[in-house]
Amino acid sequence: MTGQGGLDVAVAAALPVDDVMARLGGTGGGLSQAEAERRLAAVGPNSLRTHRARRIAVLARQLRSPLLILLAVTAAASFFLGEPTDAIIIGVILTVSVGLGFFNEYRAEKAAEALHSQIRHRCLALRDGGPRLVDVVTLVPGDVVKLRLGDIVPADLRLVSSAGLECEESVLTGESLPVAKAVEPVGPDRALAELASCALMGTVVHAGSGAGVVVATAGRTEFGRIALRLGDRHPDTEFQIGLRRFSMLLVRVAAALTAGIFVVNLVLHRPVLDALLFSLAIAVGISPQLLPAVVSTSLAAGTHRLARHRVLVKRLVCIEDLGDIDVLFTDKTGTLTEGRISFARSLGPDGSPDDRVLELGLLCNEAVVSGRDGEPGRSASGNPLDVALWDAPAAALRPGPPGRRLAVVPFDHERRTASVLVEDDDGRMIVTKGAPEAVLARCTPVADRARAVLEAEFTAGNRVVAVATRRLTGEAARRTTLSQADEHDLAFRGLLVFLDPPKAGAEQALRRLAGLGITVKVLTGDNPAVAAKLCADLGLPGGRVLTGQDVEAADDSRLAALIEQAVVFARVSPEHKARIVRAQRRNGLDVAFLGDGVNDALALHAADVGISVDAATDVAKDAADVLLLEKDLAILADGVIQGRQIFANTMKYVLMGTSSNFGNMFSAAAASAFLPFLPMLPSQILLNNLLYDSSQLAIPTDNVDPEQLRRPSRWDVASIRRFMLFFGPVSSLFDFATFAVMLGVLHAGPPLFRTGWFVESLATQVLVVFAIRTRRVPFFRSRPSLPLTVAALSVVVLGAVIPVTPLAGALGFQPLPGPFFAVLGLMVVAYLALVELAKRRFYRAAPETLAGGGRTAAHPTHRRAHRFSTVAAALAAGRPPSAPREGDQGP
């Protein structure tokens, strides 16, 4: 594939940059906006996924049940064989049932579409000769893209420049070690892992920076081919896999009941069509027909509730991911501390105040200062410690840095130092500033008194930066360049001390997270003693403090063991953070990482759930799955609770379907074997099921008991099966009691019998939700939500009223005698009381219904592919998306 439509990445890797540019019709300055739009219309968006609510697709999911289709076909046959009334009633009920599911699921799909339309993943590209933030889905072959630390490479690129660029390509090759990149072409026919002159879509910039020309987009990239082979739909989460397993359990039960009922009715010489309709209606009645609608409604409602709690999710399934969190790794600044770092004092080597150290700190400073000295609008931005130094009152009183900077070696997380070459009245000197351990290691011997002063500041929990210098003499005094190799034989000059007090409310938020079963661990570049002091002050449990050196020295198996012993990880680099997160995930736990800096991007990508904040760097926000509008652990706790509430409320629907609903269908099957008539007509069974399902659509609004939120819950189909076999017979017991009343007391004929059992079965299977929704005593110790209460009671009343409406005759009902309702009331009370007793016994015998989680091997690829997605049909036609709303993240 060549030309403006793109170029195969393996071919591009072997060609010089000029040849690649010539084939693509591009230049080093990028494309014009008009040309980019023309190419976008020709080659299509750089997209691997679509997020568009399609009515046909949602309707197809409602109709794909084989049981539903078979019942509809059988009802149609009944219509043409002389029983039009029953067939029409069944058809109407099926239509309403499908319509109810369609309406709720489509509404949830629209909510998901609206959510995705607000999310923009952008990158820095050259357009019209200058850098511009553009949506990754609008990239086209010939675009020139800038790459920075933590970026996800947005397309297959042929590199045109590289400054220490390294990419982590595990999503493609499975290798976790980063790959060094260069501009020089490689040989022909190289393997994917050997394309050093290219940066591949979906990989992560691990170190350095660079730029590249886009040679392939979307499904024409190496990553795109893999993602498209996995399918367009996102993989099922563990939550969705559990739903499917539960549904298959009920399908197997329904199949067994259907076959048994059909055979029994044939043996009893009943009409084949009636027997088939009845058995299929039983199967439909026991199937969890509205379960997808309940789940979708829960997720859609969850996004709105999370937004009210100042939490934004990029995908609906992120809500489930939040609820699954077992371990949270977080940085320290702004999360556990106030994040407003202030300069306290400058100390000489002996611990006495020394303003000269402050002057040196201002010389070796990477803050970007706008405005002139003394101007009201003067401000600084950049590294928080450097900004705090500029903003300090003591700095404002200084006349200005006593020297002129000639060269700079910026701070990086490997050296943990920054240096400048300065010229002053006495000549030229090197000033180095950074982490005390790193600076002291580059100094000539330091007095014990100076080390004691440093330890005292660490013990007090203060943040400390060391300053050292080396005066240049002889030939070196005329140099104008500086490198990392010059950071040696320095003279220790003193310390800069900063304050960052514990955050108000952090201790309470940590207690909330601990109460939710989440283990919080701290990853920080700060000193071990400072980090440990802060964590102790906030009440985090003690444990071993690991450093970056410990992480570096341990292999993967040893690191996994060390992680279990530690709460604080100090002096860790971005790569250390990502490695720690990966090791914790290999221990089988769901891991979240909260960070807001460029140095956090690798760990955000490595976590199951990446969490950032609205005020974070663009790179961190782009890497995250969840955004907090405030950097507050209490807000995160709210998000976790929402995720767990959705699971808990979905389980209520599941347990309803496996208790009273299953019991009623089993009763119908059993009754058909000994009664001389069908215990309930197929249309009545379907109406019963429709009303029951309608009452359960309010479950997503229900309150959840605190004990159900204390830790992540997992699916356990074996426990659900036990629940069904335990509570189903309880429901059937009262069904048989109803049979006895109708036949032995009221001497009911078929219409009255069916009416009485319809009303009783609907009342018991709907009202039992109040007992099953909680392990506590209902109403007294656990109150349901008002919508659920109203919905349940309304359906019960409606079921009791239907037999006296004009529809009764068509549905096969007749009015019930007054004494029946007195008996019904007693039976409902007795049934709920027995369920309460059975519930206590069941949960004493099996107190936990939890099982291990897990994710498919394709999960990382699907998660990465999610950023290359489109929503609007306009983009599929080649038109760029509308401008993102203010506040959307950048690259």
Side-chain angles (χ1 to χ4, degrees):
M1 181 179 62
T2 61
Q4 295 180 3
L7 186 65
D8 187 88
V9 69
V11 174
L15 295 174
V17 172
D18 290 343
D19 289 357
V20 173
M21 287 291 189
R23 293 197 185 194
L24 293 173
T27 67
L31 302 174
S32 67
Q33 184 63 30
E35 174 63 14
E37 291 177 3
R38 188 190 68 77
R39 294 190 183 193
L40 181 63
V43 303
N46 182 32
S47 172
L48 301 174
R49 295 283 187 268
T50 57
H51 295 283
R52 192 178 175 202
R54 295 181 174 89
R55 294 183 179 88
I56 297 299
V58 175
L59 183 60
R61 288 199 292 272
Q62 305 302 312
L63 297 174
R64 67 185 177 186
S65 166
L67 291 174
L68 207 64
I69 295 171
L70 188 56
L71 184 59
V73 170
T74 308
S78 176
F79 178 86
F80 291 108
L81 292 177
E83 297 184 14
T85 303
D86 285 349
I88 291 173
I89 292 172
I90 291 172
V92 170
I93 293 173
L94 287 178
T95 302
V96 173
S97 180
V98 169
L100 192 62
F102 169 81
F103 172 76
N104 282 279
E105 193 165 347
Y106 182 69
R107 186 173 61 175
E109 290 276 334
K110 291 296 288 184
E113 181 182 302
L115 177 65
H116 287 290
S117 69
Q118 296 177 17
I119 301 301
R120 293 285 183 267
H121 294 284
R122 298 186 290 177
C123 63
L124 193 63
L126 299 182
R127 293 274 176 91
D128 294 324
R132 178 183 298 183
L133 287 173
V134 301
D135 282 277
V136 295
V137 295
T138 65
L139 287 177
V140 293
D143 264 323
V144 175
V145 176
K146 298 282 189 180
L147 297 177
R148 300 168 295 176
L149 178 66
D151 281 349
I152 292 180
V153 180
D156 280 355
L157 308 179
R158 173 61 169 92
L159 294 175
V160 299
S161 67
S162 173
L165 182 66
E166 295 180 1
C167 292
E168 190 263 305
E169 299 180 341
S170 61
V171 73
L172 291 175
T173 65
E175 295 293 333
S176 59
L177 293 177
V179 178
K181 299 294 181 178
V183 176
E184 293 73 23
V186 301
D189 302 321
R190 290 297 182 92
L192 186 65
E194 298 174 341
L195 302 182
S197 61
C198 292
L200 302 174
M201 181 186 197
T203 61
V204 181
V205 177
H206 176 270
S209 61
V213 59
V214 176
V215 298
T217 59
R220 296 172 290 277
T221 65
E222 295 297 324
F223 177 76
R225 294 188 186 103
I226 295 173
L228 292 178
R229 281 200 300 269
L230 292 175
D232 186 64
R233 280 185 66 84
H234 293 287
D236 286 342
T237 63
E238 185 67 17
F239 180 78
Q240 292 164 326
I241 292 171
L243 282 177
R244 189 171 64 246
R245 289 174 179 167
F246 163 69
S247 299
M248 288 307 300
L249 167 67
L250 288 193
V251 166
R252 287 193 294 268
V253 173
L257 281 177
T258 301
I261 293 168
F262 186 65
V263 170
V264 167
N265 279 269
L266 287 181
V267 170
L268 295 175
H269 304 292
R270 290 174 182 160
V272 173
L273 198 58
D274 288 348
L276 185 59
L277 279 172
F278 178 74
S279 57
L280 289 175
I282 291 290
V284 172
I286 202 172
S287 300
Q289 196 171 333
L290 286 189
L291 185 56
V294 169
V295 174
S296 299
T297 302
S298 294
L299 291 174
T303 61
H304 296 301
R305 289 197 296 268
L306 284 174
R308 288 199 298 270
H309 285 90
R310 304 181 68 75
V311 179
L312 300 180
V313 294
K314 293 185 179 180
R315 298 171 293 143
L316 285 179
V317 295
C318 291
I319 302 174
E320 301 167 17
D321 293 338
L322 274 175
D324 286 342
I325 294 173
D326 296 297
V327 179
L328 170 66
F329 288 102
T330 179
D331 60 356
K332 179 172 68 71
T333 304
T335 307
L336 303 180
T337 67
E338 290 292 349
R340 294 190 294 271
I341 301 173
S342 59
F343 173 70
R345 55 190 172 274
S346 54
L347 303 176
D350 60 354
S352 61
D354 189 340
D355 290 342
R356 176 61 178 167
V357 179
L358 173 60
E359 293 176 354
L360 294 172
L362 292 172
L363 277 171
C364 186
N365 193 295
E366 296 181 81
V368 178
V369 181
S370 60
R372 298 180 178 179
D373 292 344
E375 289 184 353
R378 183 175 179 269
S379 62
S381 60
N383 181 291
L385 291 173
D386 286 339
V387 171
L389 206 58
W390 272 109
D391 290 342
L397 298 176
R398 311 302 301 173
R404 181 170 63 93
R405 296 201 303 186
L406 303 178
V408 178
V409 180
F411 178 89
D412 68 58
H413 293 280
E414 299 297 328
R415 293 166 35 247
R416 292 184 288 124
T417 60
S419 293
V420 294
L421 177 63
V422 177
E423 183 177 53
D424 60 12
D425 294 341
D426 297 324
R428 297 180 181 180
M429 69 174 173
I430 297 171
V431 181
T432 298
K433 175 169 68 73
E437 301 94 326
V439 173
L440 293 182
R442 291 163 170 78
C443 289
T444 56
V446 177
D448 291 341
R449 171 60 182 163
R451 294 184 181 276
V453 170
L454 177 61
E455 288 303 319
E457 294 294 342
F458 282 154
T459 302
N462 297 328
R463 301 189 67 169
V464 183
V465 171
V467 180
T469 62
R470 178 161 64 88
R471 181 66 65 177
L472 300 181
T473 58
E475 188 69 24
R478 290 191 292 274
R479 63 184 300 178
T480 58
T481 61
L482 190 65
S483 70
Q484 298 178 19
D486 296 315
E487 296 176 340
H488 63 85
D489 295 324
L490 302 172
F492 177 61
R493 299 299 299 271
L495 303 173
L496 300 169
V497 181
F498 300 84
L499 301 180
D500 188 12
K503 191 170 191 173
E507 185 174 358
Q508 182 180 359
L510 288 171
R511 282 199 299 269
R512 282 188 67 193
L513 290 171
L516 294 170
I518 296 175
T519 301
V520 178
K521 301 188 178 186
V522 178
L523 300 178
T524 179
D526 212 339
N527 176 269
V530 174
K533 170 72 164 53
L534 173 68
C535 292
D537 290 344
L538 293 175
L540 276 176
R544 183 173 177 178
V545 177
L546 292 183
T547 65
Q549 291 179 337
D550 298 323
V551 175
E552 199 72 44
D555 59 20
D556 287 346
S557 59
R558 174 61 178 159
L559 180 60
L562 289 174
I563 286 174
E564 299 304 317
Q565 306 169 15
V567 174
V568 177
F569 302 81
R571 294 299 193 210
V572 288
S573 68
E575 172 54 33
H576 292 151
K577 293 179 181 181
R579 190 174 168 221
I580 290 166
V581 169
R582 287 193 293 265
Q584 183 72 82
R585 289 182 62 198
R586 283 194 293 270
N587 285 349
L589 299 175
D590 274 25
V591 178
F593 179 81
L594 171 60
D596 61 358
V598 172
N599 60 322
D600 295 321
L602 296 177
L604 286 165
H605 289 306
D608 291 308
V609 187
I611 306 169
S612 193
V613 295
D614 195 44
T617 61
D618 289 337
V619 171
K621 287 196 293 185
D622 199 43
D625 302 300
V626 178
L627 289 179
L628 309 181
L629 297 186
E630 294 178 20
K631 195 173 185 182
D632 190 339
L633 291 179
I635 293 177
L636 177 59
D638 292 336
V640 171
I641 288 173
Q642 290 298 321
R644 295 184 184 175
Q645 281 180 337
I646 288 172
F647 183 90
N649 282 334
T650 302
M651 285 303 299
K652 292 173 186 177
Y653 180 89
V654 168
L655 297 180
M656 287 280 291
T658 55
S659 54
S660 62
N661 192 32
F662 166 75
N664 286 341
M665 297 302 104
F666 178 79
S667 301
S672 68
F674 68 83
L675 289 175
F677 52 85
L678 291 178
M680 204 181 291
L681 297 176
S683 59
Q684 294 169 345
I685 293 173
L686 294 176
L687 178 61
N688 183 295
N689 186 59
L690 175 63
L691 293 174
Y692 160 77
D693 276 340
S694 300
S695 72
Q696 304 314 299
L697 285 175
I699 281 180
T701 69
D702 193 26
N703 304 317
V704 177
D705 296 335
E707 58 267 23
Q708 293 180 275
L709 306 174
R710 285 178 185 158
R711 62 163 134 177
S713 297
R714 306 282 193 265
W715 282 91
D716 184 355
V717 175
S719 289
I720 294 172
R721 188 186 302 114
R722 287 196 303 270
F723 191 94
M724 177 176 68
L725 296 176
F726 192 86
F727 285 92
V730 176
S731 176
S732 294
L733 178 65
F734 281 85
D735 288 332
F736 293 132
T738 302
F739 298 163
V741 170
M742 298 304 297
L743 295 174
V745 178
L746 298 179
H747 306 290
L752 187 61
F753 179 93
R754 292 164 182 157
T755 305
W757 188 39
F758 175 89
V759 174
E760 181 272 339
S761 64
L762 184 62
T764 54
Q765 70 178 341
V766 169
L767 294 178
V768 77
V769 69
F770 297 121
I772 288 177
R773 59 170 292 278
T774 177
R775 296 188 183 188
R776 300 179 175 187
V777 178
F779 294 104
F780 295 101
R781 296 189 58 212
S782 177
R783 295 183 179 180
S785 69
L786 181 60
L788 178 60
T789 303
V790 171
L793 295 179
S794 298
V795 165
V796 171
V797 171
L798 180 60
V801 169
I802 285 176
V804 296
T805 65
L807 295 173
L811 293 170
F813 293 136
Q814 69 180 57
L816 291 163
F820 170 82
F821 290 100
V823 175
L824 175 64
L826 292 174
M827 283 200 299
V828 168
V829 171
Y831 172 59
L832 296 180
L834 185 58
V835 168
E836 272 300 302
L837 294 175
K839 182 175 70 176
R840 296 186 182 186
R841 181 176 177 182
F842 178 83
Y843 286 122
R844 276 200 302 268
E848 301 297 339
T849 56
L850 306 179
R855 297 178 189 273
T856 64
H859 177 78
T861 301
H862 279 286
R863 183 180 178 221
R864 192 67 51 82
H866 177 269
R867 65 187 290 106
F868 305 103
S869 61
T870 54
V871 176
L875 188 54
R879 296 191 298 275
S882 58
R885 62 177 172 81
E886 184 178 356
D888 280 347
Q889 73 261 31

